Every structure is written in structure tokens, then in C-alpha cells.
Coordinates of all heavy atoms in Angstrom, one line a residue:
M1 N 0.8 -1.2 0.0 CA 0.0 0.0 0.0 C 0.9 1.3 0.0 O 1.7 1.4 0.9 CB -0.9 0.0 1.2 CG -1.7 1.3 1.6 SD -2.9 1.7 0.4 CE -4.0 0.3 0.2
S2 N 0.7 2.0 -1.0 CA 1.5 3.3 -1.0 C 0.9 4.4 -0.1 O -0.3 4.5 0.1 CB 1.4 3.9 -2.5 OG 2.0 5.1 -2.6
S3 N 1.8 5.0 0.6 CA 1.3 6.0 1.5 C 1.9 7.4 1.1 O 2.3 8.1 1.9 CB 1.7 5.7 3.0 OG 3.2 5.5 3.1
E4 N 1.9 7.6 -0.2 CA 2.3 8.9 -0.7 C 1.0 9.7 -1.2 O 0.1 9.1 -1.6 CB 3.2 8.7 -2.0 CG 4.5 8.1 -1.5 CD 5.5 7.9 -2.7 OE1 5.0 8.2 -3.9 OE2 6.7 7.6 -2.6
C5 N 1.2 11.0 -1.0 CA 0.0 11.9 -1.4 C -0.1 11.7 -3.0 O 0.8 11.9 -3.7 CB 0.3 13.3 -1.0 SG -0.9 14.4 -1.6
P6 N -1.4 11.6 -3.4 CA -1.6 11.4 -4.9 C -1.4 12.8 -5.6 O -1.3 12.7 -6.9 CB -3.0 10.9 -5.0 CG -3.7 11.2 -3.7 CD -2.5 11.3 -2.7
I7 N -1.3 13.8 -4.9 CA -1.2 15.2 -5.5 C 0.2 15.7 -5.6 O 0.8 15.9 -6.6 CB -2.1 16.2 -4.9 CG1 -3.6 15.8 -5.0 CG2 -1.9 17.6 -5.4 CD1 -4.6 16.6 -4.4
C8 N 0.9 15.7 -4.3 CA 2.2 16.2 -4.2 C 3.3 15.2 -4.0 O 4.5 15.5 -4.1 CB 2.2 17.3 -3.2 SG 2.1 16.6 -1.4
G9 N 3.0 14.0 -3.6 CA 4.0 12.9 -3.3 C 4.5 12.9 -1.9 O 5.4 12.1 -1.7
S10 N 4.1 13.7 -1.1 CA 4.6 13.8 0.3 C 4.1 12.5 1.0 O 3.1 11.8 0.7 CB 4.0 14.9 1.1 OG 4.5 16.2 0.5
T11 N 4.8 12.1 2.1 CA 4.4 11.0 2.9 C 3.2 11.3 3.7 O 3.1 12.3 4.4 CB 5.5 10.5 3.8 OG1 6.7 10.2 3.1 CG2 5.1 9.3 4.7
L12 N 2.1 10.5 3.5 CA 0.8 10.7 4.2 C 0.9 10.4 5.7 O 1.6 9.6 6.1 CB -0.3 9.9 3.5 CG -0.5 10.4 2.0 CD1 -1.6 9.4 1.4 CD2 -1.1 11.7 2.0
E13 N 0.0 11.0 6.4 CA -0.3 10.7 7.9 C -1.6 10.1 8.1 O -2.6 10.6 7.5 CB -0.1 12.0 8.7 CG 1.3 12.7 8.7 CD 1.2 14.0 9.4 OE1 0.1 14.5 9.8 OE2 2.3 14.5 9.6
R14 N -1.6 9.0 8.8 CA -2.9 8.3 9.1 C -3.7 9.3 10.1 O -3.2 9.9 10.9 CB -2.7 7.1 9.8 CG -2.1 6.0 9.0 CD -2.9 5.0 8.4 NE -4.0 4.5 9.2 CZ -4.0 3.2 9.7 NH1 -3.1 2.4 9.6 NH2 -5.1 2.8 10.3
I15 N -5.1 9.3 9.9 CA -6.0 10.1 10.7 C -7.1 9.2 11.1 O -7.3 8.1 10.5 CB -6.5 11.4 10.1 CG1 -7.3 11.0 8.8 CG2 -5.4 12.3 9.9 CD1 -7.9 12.3 8.1
H16 N -7.9 9.5 12.1 CA -9.0 8.7 12.7 C -10.1 8.6 11.6 O -10.4 9.5 10.8 CB -9.6 9.3 14.0 CG -8.7 9.2 15.1 ND1 -8.5 8.1 15.8 CD2 -7.9 10.2 15.6 CE1 -7.5 8.4 16.7 NE2 -7.2 9.6 16.7
R17 N -10.7 7.3 11.6 CA -11.8 7.0 10.7 C -13.1 7.6 11.2 O -13.3 7.8 12.4 CB -11.9 5.5 10.5 CG -10.8 4.9 9.8 CD -11.0 3.4 9.8 NE -10.7 3.0 11.2 CZ -10.7 1.7 11.5 NH1 -10.9 0.8 10.6 NH2 -10.6 1.3 12.7
K18 N -14.0 7.8 10.3 CA -15.4 8.3 10.7 C -16.2 7.1 11.1 O -15.9 5.9 10.8 CB -16.0 9.0 9.6 CG -15.4 10.3 9.3 CD -16.1 11.0 8.1 CE -15.3 12.3 8.0 NZ -16.0 13.2 6.9
P19 N -17.3 7.2 11.9 CA -18.0 6.0 12.4 C -18.5 5.1 11.3 O -18.4 3.8 11.5 CB -19.2 6.7 13.1 CG -18.7 8.0 13.6 CD -17.8 8.4 12.5
L20 N -19.0 5.6 10.1 CA -19.5 4.7 9.1 C -18.3 3.9 8.6 O -18.4 2.7 8.3 CB -20.2 5.5 8.0 CG -20.6 4.6 6.8 CD1 -21.7 3.7 7.4 CD2 -21.3 5.6 5.8
E21 N -17.2 4.6 8.4 CA -16.0 3.9 7.9 C -15.6 2.8 8.9 O -15.0 1.7 8.5 CB -14.8 4.9 7.6 CG -15.1 5.8 6.5 CD -14.2 7.0 6.5 OE1 -13.6 7.3 7.5 OE2 -14.0 7.6 5.5
R22 N -15.7 3.1 10.2 CA -15.2 2.0 11.2 C -16.2 0.9 11.1 O -15.7 -0.2 11.2 CB -15.4 2.7 12.5 CG -14.7 2.0 13.7 CD -14.6 2.7 14.9 NE -13.8 3.8 14.9 CZ -12.5 3.9 15.0 NH1 -11.8 2.7 15.3 NH2 -11.8 4.9 15.0
M23 N -17.5 1.0 10.9 CA -18.4 -0.1 10.7 C -18.0 -0.9 9.4 O -18.0 -2.1 9.5 CB -19.9 0.4 10.7 CG -20.4 0.9 12.1 SD -22.1 1.5 12.0 CE -22.7 1.1 10.5
L24 N -17.8 -0.2 8.3 CA -17.5 -0.9 7.1 C -16.2 -1.6 7.2 O -16.0 -2.6 6.4 CB -17.6 0.1 5.9 CG -19.0 0.6 5.5 CD1 -18.8 1.7 4.5 CD2 -19.9 -0.5 5.1
S25 N -15.3 -1.2 8.1 CA -14.0 -1.8 8.1 C -14.0 -3.3 8.6 O -13.0 -4.0 8.5 CB -13.1 -1.0 9.0 OG -13.4 -1.2 10.3
S26 N -15.2 -3.8 8.9 CA -15.3 -5.2 9.3 C -15.2 -6.1 8.0 O -14.9 -7.2 8.0 CB -16.7 -5.5 9.9 OG -16.7 -4.9 11.2
F27 N -15.6 -5.5 6.8 CA -15.6 -6.1 5.6 C -14.5 -5.7 4.6 O -14.1 -6.5 3.8 CB -17.0 -5.9 4.9 CG -18.1 -6.4 5.9 CD1 -18.9 -5.5 6.5 CD2 -18.4 -7.8 6.0 CE1 -19.9 -5.9 7.3 CE2 -19.4 -8.2 6.8 CZ -20.1 -7.3 7.5
V28 N -14.1 -4.5 4.6 CA -13.1 -4.0 3.7 C -12.1 -3.1 4.6 O -12.6 -2.5 5.6 CB -13.6 -3.1 2.5 CG1 -14.3 -4.0 1.6 CG2 -14.4 -2.0 3.1
S29 N -10.9 -3.1 4.2 CA -9.9 -2.3 5.0 C -10.0 -0.9 4.5 O -9.8 -0.5 3.4 CB -8.5 -2.9 4.8 OG -7.6 -2.1 5.5
I30 N -10.4 0.0 5.5 CA -10.6 1.5 5.1 C -9.5 2.2 6.0 O -9.6 2.1 7.2 CB -11.9 2.0 5.4 CG1 -12.9 1.3 4.5 CG2 -12.0 3.5 5.1 CD1 -14.4 1.5 4.8
R31 N -8.7 3.0 5.4 CA -7.7 3.8 6.2 C -7.8 5.3 5.6 O -7.9 5.5 4.4 CB -6.3 3.4 6.0 CG -6.1 2.0 6.6 CD -4.7 1.6 6.7 NE -4.6 0.4 7.5 CZ -4.0 -0.7 7.2 NH1 -3.6 -0.8 5.9 NH2 -3.9 -1.7 8.0
R32 N -7.8 6.2 6.6 CA -7.9 7.6 6.2 C -6.5 8.2 6.4 O -5.8 8.0 7.3 CB -8.9 8.3 7.2 CG -10.3 7.8 7.0 CD -11.2 8.8 7.5 NE -11.0 10.0 6.8 CZ -11.8 11.0 6.6 NH1 -12.9 11.1 7.2 NH2 -11.5 12.0 5.9
Y33 N -6.2 9.2 5.5 CA -4.9 9.8 5.4 C -5.1 11.3 5.2 O -6.1 11.7 4.7 CB -4.1 9.2 4.4 CG -3.6 7.8 4.6 CD1 -4.3 6.8 4.1 CD2 -2.5 7.5 5.3 CE1 -3.9 5.5 4.3 CE2 -2.0 6.2 5.5 CZ -2.7 5.2 5.1 OH -2.4 3.9 5.2
R34 N -4.1 12.1 5.6 CA -4.0 13.4 5.2 C -2.6 13.8 4.8 O -1.7 13.2 5.3 CB -4.5 14.3 6.3 CG -3.6 14.5 7.4 CD -4.1 15.5 8.5 NE -3.1 15.9 9.5 CZ -2.1 16.8 9.4 NH1 -2.1 17.5 8.3 NH2 -1.3 16.9 10.3
C35 N -2.5 14.8 4.0 CA -1.2 15.2 3.5 C -0.7 16.3 4.4 O -1.3 17.2 4.8 CB -1.2 15.8 2.1 SG 0.4 16.3 1.5
P36 N 0.5 16.2 5.1 CA 1.1 17.2 6.0 C 1.5 18.5 5.4 O 1.8 19.4 6.0 CB 2.2 16.4 6.7 CG 2.7 15.4 5.7 CD 1.4 15.0 4.9
N37 N 1.7 18.4 4.0 CA 2.1 19.5 3.3 C 1.1 20.7 3.3 O 0.0 20.5 2.8 CB 2.4 19.1 1.8 CG 3.0 20.3 1.0 OD1 3.0 21.4 1.3 ND2 3.5 19.9 -0.2
S38 N 1.4 21.8 3.9 CA 0.4 22.9 4.1 C -0.1 23.4 2.8 O -1.1 24.0 2.8 CB 1.1 23.9 5.0 OG 2.2 24.5 4.3
E39 N 0.7 23.3 1.7 CA 0.3 23.9 0.4 C -0.7 22.9 -0.3 O -1.5 23.3 -1.1 CB 1.4 24.1 -0.5 CG 2.4 25.2 0.0 CD 3.7 25.3 -0.8 OE1 3.8 24.6 -1.8 OE2 4.5 26.1 -0.3
C40 N -0.7 21.6 0.1 CA -1.5 20.6 -0.5 C -2.8 20.4 0.2 O -3.9 20.5 -0.3 CB -0.7 19.3 -0.7 SG -1.7 18.0 -1.4
N41 N -2.7 20.0 1.5 CA -3.8 19.7 2.4 C -4.8 18.6 1.9 O -5.9 18.7 2.1 CB -4.6 21.0 2.7 CG -3.8 21.9 3.7 OD1 -3.1 21.4 4.6 ND2 -4.0 23.1 3.5
W42 N -4.3 17.7 1.1 CA -5.2 16.6 0.6 C -5.6 15.7 1.8 O -4.8 15.3 2.7 CB -4.4 15.7 -0.5 CG -5.1 14.6 -1.0 CD1 -6.0 14.6 -2.0 CD2 -5.2 13.2 -0.4 NE1 -6.5 13.3 -2.2 CE2 -6.0 12.5 -1.2 CE3 -4.5 12.6 0.6 CZ2 -6.3 11.2 -1.1 CZ3 -4.7 11.2 0.8 CH2 -5.6 10.5 0.0
K43 N -6.9 15.3 1.8 CA -7.4 14.2 2.7 C -8.2 13.3 1.9 O -8.8 13.5 1.0 CB -8.3 14.9 3.7 CG -7.7 15.7 4.8 CD -8.7 16.3 5.7 CE -8.0 17.2 6.8 NZ -9.0 17.7 7.7
G44 N -8.0 12.0 2.3 CA -8.8 10.9 1.6 C -8.7 9.6 2.3 O -8.1 9.5 3.4
R45 N -9.1 8.5 1.6 CA -9.1 7.2 2.2 C -8.6 6.2 1.1 O -8.8 6.5 0.0 CB -10.4 6.9 2.7 CG -11.5 6.8 1.7 CD -12.9 6.5 2.3 NE -13.5 7.5 3.0 CZ -14.2 8.5 2.5 NH1 -14.4 8.6 1.2 NH2 -14.7 9.5 3.2
F46 N -8.1 5.2 1.6 CA -7.7 4.1 0.8 C -8.5 2.8 1.2 O -8.6 2.6 2.4 CB -6.2 3.7 0.9 CG -5.4 4.8 0.3 CD1 -4.4 5.4 1.0 CD2 -5.4 5.2 -1.1 CE1 -3.5 6.4 0.5 CE2 -4.6 6.1 -1.6 CZ -3.7 6.8 -0.8
I47 N -9.1 2.1 0.3 CA -9.9 1.0 0.5 C -9.3 -0.2 -0.2 O -9.0 -0.1 -1.4 CB -11.4 1.3 0.0 CG1 -11.9 2.5 0.7 CG2 -12.3 0.1 0.3 CD1 -13.3 3.0 0.2
E48 N -9.3 -1.3 0.5 CA -8.7 -2.5 -0.1 C -9.5 -3.7 0.6 O -10.0 -3.6 1.6 CB -7.2 -2.7 0.1 CG -6.8 -2.8 1.5 CD -5.3 -2.8 1.6 OE1 -4.6 -2.1 0.8 OE2 -4.8 -3.5 2.6
P49 N -9.5 -4.9 -0.1 CA -10.2 -6.0 0.4 C -9.5 -6.4 1.7 O -8.3 -6.3 2.0 CB -10.0 -7.1 -0.6 CG -9.7 -6.4 -1.8 CD -9.1 -5.1 -1.5
K50 N -10.5 -6.9 2.7 CA -9.9 -7.3 4.0 C -9.0 -8.5 3.9 O -9.5 -9.5 3.2 CB -11.1 -7.6 4.9 CG -10.8 -7.7 6.4 CD -10.6 -6.4 7.0 CE -10.5 -6.6 8.5 NZ -10.5 -5.3 9.2
K51 N -7.9 -8.5 4.6 CA -7.0 -9.7 4.5 C -7.6 -10.7 5.6 O -8.0 -10.4 6.7 CB -5.6 -9.4 4.8 CG -5.0 -8.5 3.7 CD -3.7 -8.0 4.1 CE -3.1 -7.1 3.1 NZ -1.8 -6.5 3.3
R52 N -7.7 -12.0 5.3 CA -8.2 -12.9 6.2 C -7.2 -13.7 6.9 O -7.6 -14.8 7.6 CB -9.1 -13.9 5.4 CG -10.3 -13.2 4.8 CD -11.2 -14.2 4.0 NE -12.3 -13.5 3.5 CZ -13.5 -13.7 3.9 NH1 -13.8 -14.5 4.9 NH2 -14.5 -13.1 3.3
A53 N -5.9 -13.4 6.8 CA -5.0 -14.2 7.5 C -5.1 -14.3 9.0 O -5.2 -15.4 9.6 CB -3.6 -13.6 7.1
K54 N -5.3 -13.2 9.7 CA -5.3 -13.2 11.1 C -6.7 -13.4 11.6 O -6.9 -14.2 12.5 CB -4.8 -11.8 11.8 CG -3.3 -11.7 11.6 CD -3.0 -10.4 12.3 CE -1.5 -10.0 12.2 NZ -1.1 -8.8 12.8
S55 N -7.6 -12.9 11.1 CA -9.0 -12.9 11.6 C -10.0 -13.6 10.7 O -11.2 -13.2 10.5 CB -9.5 -11.5 11.9 OG -9.6 -10.8 10.7
G56 N -9.6 -14.6 10.0 CA -10.4 -15.3 9.0 C -11.6 -15.9 9.7 O -12.8 -15.8 9.2
I57 N -11.5 -16.5 10.9 CA -12.6 -17.0 11.6 C -13.6 -16.0 12.0 O -14.9 -16.1 11.8 CB -12.2 -17.8 12.7 CG1 -11.4 -19.1 12.3 CG2 -13.5 -18.3 13.6 CD1 -10.7 -19.9 13.5
K58 N -13.1 -14.9 12.5 CA -14.0 -13.9 12.9 C -14.8 -13.2 11.7 O -16.0 -13.0 11.7 CB -13.2 -12.7 13.5 CG -12.7 -13.0 14.9 CD -11.9 -11.8 15.4 CE -11.3 -12.2 16.8 NZ -10.5 -11.0 17.3
M59 N -14.1 -13.1 10.6 CA -14.8 -12.5 9.4 C -15.9 -13.6 8.9 O -16.9 -13.1 8.5 CB -13.7 -12.3 8.2 CG -12.9 -11.0 8.4 SD -14.0 -9.6 8.4 CE -14.6 -9.6 6.8
E60 N -15.5 -14.8 8.9 CA -16.5 -15.8 8.4 C -17.7 -15.8 9.3 O -18.8 -15.9 8.9 CB -15.9 -17.2 8.3 CG -14.9 -17.3 7.1 CD -14.3 -18.6 7.1 OE1 -14.8 -19.6 7.7 OE2 -13.2 -18.8 6.5
F61 N -17.5 -15.7 10.6 CA -18.7 -15.6 11.5 C -19.5 -14.4 11.3 O -20.6 -14.4 11.3 CB -18.2 -15.6 13.0 CG -19.2 -15.4 14.0 CD1 -20.0 -16.6 14.3 CD2 -19.4 -14.2 14.6 CE1 -21.0 -16.4 15.3 CE2 -20.4 -14.0 15.5 CZ -21.2 -15.2 15.9
K62 N -18.9 -13.2 11.1 CA -19.6 -12.1 10.8 C -20.5 -12.2 9.6 O -21.6 -11.8 9.6 CB -18.7 -10.8 10.8 CG -18.1 -10.4 12.1 CD -17.2 -9.2 11.8 CE -16.5 -8.8 13.1 NZ -15.6 -7.7 12.9
E63 N -19.9 -12.7 8.5 CA -20.6 -12.8 7.3 C -21.7 -13.8 7.4 O -22.8 -13.6 6.9 CB -19.6 -13.4 6.1 CG -18.5 -12.3 5.8 CD -17.5 -12.9 4.9 OE1 -17.4 -14.1 4.7 OE2 -16.6 -12.1 4.4
W64 N -21.5 -14.9 8.2 CA -22.6 -15.9 8.3 C -23.7 -15.3 9.1 O -24.9 -15.6 8.9 CB -22.1 -17.2 8.9 CG -21.5 -18.1 7.9 CD1 -20.2 -18.4 7.7 CD2 -22.3 -18.9 6.9 NE1 -20.1 -19.4 6.6 CE2 -21.3 -19.6 6.1 CE3 -23.7 -19.0 6.6 CZ2 -21.8 -20.5 5.1 CZ3 -24.1 -19.8 5.5 CH2 -23.2 -20.4 4.8
A65 N -23.3 -14.5 10.2 CA -24.3 -13.9 11.0 C -25.3 -13.0 10.3 O -26.4 -13.0 10.4 CB -23.7 -13.2 12.2
L66 N -24.6 -12.2 9.3 CA -25.4 -11.3 8.5 C -26.3 -12.1 7.6 O -27.5 -11.7 7.4 CB -24.4 -10.4 7.7 CG -25.0 -9.4 6.8 CD1 -25.9 -8.4 7.7 CD2 -23.9 -8.6 6.1
V67 N -25.8 -13.0 6.9 CA -26.6 -13.9 6.0 C -27.9 -14.5 6.8 O -29.0 -14.5 6.3 CB -25.8 -15.0 5.3 CG1 -26.6 -16.0 4.7 CG2 -24.8 -14.4 4.3
L68 N -27.6 -15.1 8.0 CA -28.7 -15.7 8.8 C -29.6 -14.6 9.3 O -30.8 -14.9 9.3 CB -28.0 -16.4 10.0 CG -27.2 -17.7 9.6 CD1 -26.6 -18.3 10.9 CD2 -28.2 -18.7 9.0
L69 N -29.2 -13.4 9.5 CA -30.1 -12.3 10.0 C -31.0 -12.0 8.8 O -32.3 -11.9 9.0 CB -29.3 -11.2 10.4 CG -30.1 -9.9 10.8 CD1 -30.9 -10.2 12.1 CD2 -29.3 -8.8 11.0
I70 N -30.5 -11.8 7.7 CA -31.2 -11.4 6.5 C -32.2 -12.6 6.1 O -33.4 -12.4 5.9 CB -30.3 -11.1 5.3 CG1 -29.6 -9.8 5.5 CG2 -31.1 -10.9 4.0 CD1 -28.5 -9.5 4.6
A71 N -31.7 -13.9 6.2 CA -32.6 -14.9 5.8 C -33.8 -15.0 6.9 O -34.9 -15.4 6.6 CB -31.8 -16.2 5.8
G72 N -33.4 -14.8 8.2 CA -34.5 -14.9 9.3 C -35.5 -13.8 9.1 O -36.7 -14.1 9.2
V73 N -35.1 -12.6 8.8 CA -36.1 -11.6 8.5 C -37.0 -11.9 7.3 O -38.2 -11.8 7.3 CB -35.3 -10.2 8.3 CG1 -36.3 -9.1 7.9 CG2 -34.7 -9.8 9.6
G74 N -36.3 -12.4 6.2 CA -37.2 -12.8 5.1 C -38.1 -14.0 5.4 O -39.3 -13.9 5.0
L75 N -37.7 -14.9 6.1 CA -38.6 -16.0 6.5 C -39.7 -15.5 7.5 O -40.8 -15.9 7.2 CB -37.8 -17.1 7.2 CG -38.5 -18.3 7.7 CD1 -39.1 -19.1 6.5 CD2 -37.6 -19.2 8.6
W76 N -39.4 -14.7 8.4 CA -40.4 -14.1 9.2 C -41.5 -13.3 8.4 O -42.6 -13.5 8.6 CB -39.8 -13.2 10.3 CG -40.8 -12.5 11.1 CD1 -41.5 -12.9 12.2 CD2 -41.2 -11.1 11.0 NE1 -42.3 -11.9 12.6 CE2 -42.1 -10.8 11.9 CE3 -40.8 -10.1 10.0 CZ2 -42.7 -9.6 12.0 CZ3 -41.4 -8.8 10.1 CH2 -42.3 -8.6 11.1
Y77 N -41.0 -12.5 7.5 CA -41.9 -11.8 6.7 C -42.7 -12.6 5.8 O -43.9 -12.4 5.7 CB -41.1 -10.7 5.8 CG -42.0 -9.9 5.0 CD1 -42.7 -8.7 5.6 CD2 -42.1 -10.1 3.6 CE1 -43.5 -8.0 4.8 CE2 -43.0 -9.2 2.8 CZ -43.6 -8.2 3.5 OH -44.4 -7.4 2.7
G78 N -42.1 -13.7 5.2 CA -42.9 -14.6 4.4 C -44.0 -15.4 5.2 O -45.1 -15.5 4.7
L79 N -43.6 -15.9 6.4 CA -44.6 -16.6 7.2 C -45.7 -15.6 7.6 O -46.8 -16.0 7.7 CB -43.8 -17.2 8.3 CG -42.9 -18.4 8.1 CD1 -42.2 -18.8 9.2 CD2 -43.8 -19.5 7.4
R80 N -45.3 -14.4 8.0 CA -46.3 -13.4 8.5 C -47.3 -13.1 7.4 O -48.6 -13.1 7.7 CB -45.6 -12.2 8.9 CG -46.6 -11.3 9.7 CD -45.8 -10.0 10.1 NE -46.0 -9.2 8.8 CZ -45.7 -8.0 8.7 NH1 -45.2 -7.3 9.7 NH2 -45.8 -7.3 7.6
S81 N -46.8 -12.9 6.2 CA -47.8 -12.5 5.1 C -48.7 -13.7 4.7 O -49.8 -13.5 4.2 CB -47.0 -12.0 3.9 OG -46.2 -13.1 3.4
H82 N -48.2 -15.0 4.8 CA -49.0 -16.1 4.4 C -49.9 -16.6 5.6 O -50.7 -17.4 5.4 CB -48.1 -17.2 3.9 CG -47.5 -17.0 2.7 ND1 -48.2 -16.7 1.5 CD2 -46.2 -16.8 2.3 CE1 -47.4 -16.4 0.5 NE2 -46.2 -16.5 1.0
S83 N -49.7 -16.2 6.8 CA -50.5 -16.7 7.9 C -51.8 -16.0 8.0 O -52.9 -16.5 8.5 CB -49.8 -16.5 9.2 OG -49.6 -15.1 9.5
N84 N -52.0 -14.9 7.4 CA -53.2 -14.1 7.3 C -53.6 -13.9 5.9 O -53.5 -12.7 5.3 CB -53.1 -12.8 8.0 CG -52.9 -12.9 9.5 OD1 -53.4 -13.8 10.2 ND2 -52.2 -12.0 10.1
P85 N -54.1 -14.9 5.2 CA -54.4 -14.7 3.8 C -55.7 -13.9 3.6 O -56.5 -13.7 4.6 CB -54.8 -16.2 3.3 CG -55.1 -16.9 4.5 CD -54.4 -16.3 5.6
A86 N -55.8 -13.3 2.5 CA -56.9 -12.4 2.2 C -58.2 -13.2 2.3 O -58.2 -14.3 1.8 CB -56.8 -11.7 0.9
P87 N -59.2 -12.6 2.9 CA -60.5 -13.4 3.0 C -61.1 -13.5 1.5 O -61.0 -12.7 0.7 CB -61.4 -12.5 3.8 CG -60.8 -11.1 3.8 CD -59.3 -11.3 3.5
E88 N -61.8 -14.7 1.4 CA -62.5 -14.9 0.1 C -63.7 -14.1 0.0 O -64.4 -13.9 0.9 CB -62.8 -16.4 0.0 CG -61.6 -17.3 0.0 CD -62.1 -18.8 -0.1 OE1 -63.2 -19.0 -0.7 OE2 -61.3 -19.6 0.2
P89 N -64.0 -13.6 -1.2 CA -65.1 -12.7 -1.3 C -66.4 -13.5 -1.1 O -66.6 -14.6 -1.5 CB -65.0 -12.2 -2.8 CG -64.1 -13.1 -3.4 CD -63.2 -13.7 -2.4
Q90 N -67.3 -13.0 -0.3 CA -68.6 -13.5 0.0 C -69.7 -13.2 -1.1 O -69.6 -12.1 -1.7 CB -69.2 -13.0 1.3 CG -68.2 -13.3 2.5 CD -68.3 -14.7 2.9 OE1 -69.2 -15.5 2.7 NE2 -67.0 -15.2 3.3
P91 N -70.4 -14.2 -1.5 CA -71.4 -13.9 -2.5 C -72.4 -12.8 -1.9 O -72.8 -12.9 -0.9 CB -72.1 -15.2 -2.8 CG -71.8 -16.1 -1.6 CD -70.5 -15.6 -1.0
Q92 N -72.8 -11.9 -2.8 CA -73.7 -10.9 -2.5 C -75.1 -11.3 -2.8 O -75.4 -11.8 -3.9 CB -73.3 -9.6 -3.2 CG -72.0 -9.2 -2.9 CD -71.8 -7.8 -2.4 OE1 -72.9 -7.0 -2.4 NE2 -70.7 -7.4 -1.9
L93 N -76.0 -11.0 -1.9 CA -77.4 -11.4 -2.1 C -78.0 -10.3 -2.9 O -77.8 -9.1 -2.5 CB -78.2 -11.5 -0.8 CG -77.7 -12.8 0.1 CD1 -78.4 -12.8 1.4 CD2 -77.9 -14.0 -0.6
E94 N -78.8 -10.5 -3.9 CA -79.5 -9.5 -4.6 C -80.7 -9.0 -3.8 O -81.5 -10.0 -3.3 CB -79.9 -10.0 -6.0 CG -78.7 -10.3 -6.8 CD -79.1 -10.7 -8.2 OE1 -80.2 -10.3 -8.7 OE2 -78.3 -11.3 -8.9
Q95 N -80.9 -7.8 -3.8 CA -82.1 -7.3 -3.2 C -83.2 -7.0 -4.2 O -82.9 -6.4 -5.2 CB -81.8 -6.1 -2.3 CG -80.9 -6.3 -1.2 CD -80.6 -5.0 -0.4 OE1 -81.0 -3.9 -0.8 NE2 -79.8 -5.2 0.6
S96 N -84.4 -7.5 -3.9 CA -85.5 -7.2 -4.9 C -86.2 -6.0 -4.5 O -86.5 -5.7 -3.3 CB -86.4 -8.4 -5.0 OG -87.0 -8.6 -3.7
S97 N -86.5 -5.2 -5.5 CA -87.2 -4.0 -5.1 C -88.7 -4.2 -5.3 O -89.2 -4.6 -6.3 CB -86.7 -2.9 -6.0 OG -87.0 -3.1 -7.4
Q98 N -89.4 -4.1 -4.3 CA -90.8 -4.3 -4.3 C -91.6 -3.1 -4.1 O -91.5 -2.2 -3.4 CB -91.3 -5.3 -3.3 CG -90.7 -6.7 -3.6 CD -91.1 -7.7 -2.7 OE1 -91.8 -7.4 -1.8 NE2 -90.7 -9.0 -2.9

């Protein structure tokens, strides 16, 4: 991973991630940088696929948990919508005018 500023070529400094980037970092590696060059002031992030060497089991668990959560919500919604089917229309009695 290159840590050079894409504008001026200075060595970049790491800065803290924002909350959304921190949540997404479970799935992809997100790092925020800024350029220390006062004339440049570039800020940005580098994103790359998450490496599974150290935390492979944790990543697989998180992915399976997400899949099971989505499947569970879909199953619940499907069962809920089929448990109360629409009532069948009742035949209407004709009224005779006398």
C-alpha cells in the first residue's frame, strides 16, 4: 500500500476514521490519510479487500451472522404474510325492489 500523497507525493499521515468507515472496516480495510504539506492539504481514504490471514474465523462468523439475519427476516416476513391470507369474497345477495 502506497502512503504517498496522490497530488504532491509527500508521505501521508494516518488520521482517525469516521463512524461509518469504522463499521464498514469489518468487511473492507479502510484507512484515512491526510497530507502534511500545508500547500496541498489533501485528505482521503484508501480502501482494499480485508485480509483474512489473522481474523479469518471472525470474518466468516460475521458474514454468516449477516446472512442468517437477512434470511431470518425474510422467513419471518414470508410466514407473516401467508399466515393471514386475504378473505375470500362472500357472494352478495341480490335485493329485490318491491
